[in-house]
């Protein structure tokens, strides 16, 4: 369950930020997640909400931009979207590929009370 660990990671960043800002409560979160796979936003939100229960971020609104990072085949140079981190060119079957762009996640802003 990859979305589960992403949801928890977003929460960890949000709570660290809330502590830094001395906030009592987080109402909204804005950020992005870029991955070499398709992500299910509702699954990320579900895990975020479940783990946020009883914390400062309970009930916070999530506004996450999800990006599916493409890869380029080193053999035939075609671009494709990897299936769950797996670099496998659908055009020629090569597993030699380069991920185009940055993966990872960030919390850009939080709205606090
Ligand atoms: Zn994954
Ligand atoms: Zn190829």
């Amino acid at each position: 369950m990859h979305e589960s660990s992403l949801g928890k990671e977003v929460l960890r960043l949000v709570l660290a930020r809330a502590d830094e800002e001395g906030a009592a409560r987080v109402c909204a979160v804005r950020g992005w997640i870029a991955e070499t796979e398709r992500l299910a936003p509702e699954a990320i939100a579900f895990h975020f909400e479940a783990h946020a229960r009883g914390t400062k971020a309970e009930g916070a609104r999530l506004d996450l931009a999800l990006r599916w990072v493409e890869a380029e085949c080193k053999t035939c140079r075609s671009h494709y979207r990897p299936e769950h981190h797996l670099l496998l060119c659908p055009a020629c079957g090569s597993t030699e590929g380069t991920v185009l762009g940055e993966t990872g996640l960030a919390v850009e802003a939080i709205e606090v009370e």
Side-chain angles (χ1 to χ4, degrees):
M1 249 291 141
H2 197 226
E3 275 86 357
S4 154
S5 55
L6 289 171
K8 274 188 246 176
E9 181 62 11
V10 170
L11 177 63
R12 194 182 66 75
L13 294 173
V14 166
L15 293 177
R17 183 105 170 215
D19 283 345
E20 256 170 48
E21 299 187 12
R25 231 182 92 68
V26 179
C27 331
V29 174
R30 189 160 51 76
W32 56 266
I33 301 178
E35 269 283 4
T36 50
E37 67 180 299
R38 186 209 306 268
L39 295 169
E42 56 288 342
I44 294 171
F46 173 83
H47 288 285
F48 177 88
E49 280 162 27
H51 292 283
R53 245 166 251 151
T55 73
K56 290 174 178 181
E58 179 164 357
R61 189 162 36 81
L62 270 190
D63 178 10
L64 292 175
L66 303 183
R67 284 204 301 275
W68 192 357
V69 179
E70 286 192 321
E72 182 184 74
C73 176
K74 280 185 180 168
T75 307
C76 74
R77 298 282 161 203
S78 60
H79 288 193
Y80 60 94
R81 291 181 155 186
E83 293 289 337
H84 209 94
H85 316 281
L86 184 65
L87 296 185
L88 173 66
C89 176
C92 75
S94 168
T95 54
E96 293 291 307
T98 313
V99 173
L100 302 170
E102 213 186 324
T103 59
L105 79 169
V107 168
E108 292 173 318
I110 60 173
E111 237 174 74
V112 299
E113 252 168 26

